[in-house]
Amino acid sequence: MNTRRYVVGKAADLADGEKMAVDAGGRSIAIFNVKGRYYGLLNRCPHRGADLCAGRFLPRVTAAVPGEYHYDTEHTFLVCPWHGWEFDVVTGQSYFDPVGMRGRPYRVEVESGATVTHDLDEGTVALSRLTPQQYAAVAADRGDEAGPAVAGLQPGPLRAETVSVQIEDDYLVVDLRPQRPQRAQGARTEKQETA
């Protein structure tokens, strides 16, 4: 299966304000729930490699005049646990070096269990771990004795009753395709201005 989309957990398992580190395609991704919206960043600070999921959120602080501080809780920054460098979890933008350094953002979508099941069957999404069916298929392909297609075995006379299972939860799906940086509203390039 060749996919860049990975199911990494249930949306209900990550409450508002919480974060978790997940493995998606061999990459550690930090997932953040900010007021019911989910964001992902490569779980490595671009400065010195700290675990960004271990960081904390702090409000934006402004001051019109010295000594009069305003704490803007509507705009928070993820602060690196090692050196206190600040990142916007939505875009990965850094505020210690806005031009030269940014975190790598990843799109995190909430999808219904039915959509995830369909996408798993189609091969357009993968689990961060193998399902029992995927493990059995891999084992059979390799010829492992633990696999279901072991030579010489015959089905027995009894059969277990099966039931239909529906997945009703919503799941978090990380897309590992690179996101393009968002341009600031009204920003124009020098080329556009001279045209």
Side-chain angles (χ1 to χ4, degrees), residues 160-192:
E161 181 180 353
T162 60
V163 294
S164 175
V165 176
Q166 292 182 337
I167 301 174
E168 297 177 358
D169 290 324
D170 289 333
Y171 291 85
L172 298 173
V173 178
V174 173
D175 190 335
L176 295 182
R177 285 180 295 218
Q179 275 189 283
R180 294 181 179 232
Q182 294 178 351
R183 278 197 161 150
Q185 295 275 338
R188 299 183 65 172
T189 64
E190 188 176 313
K191 194 177 216 179
Q192 289 172 326

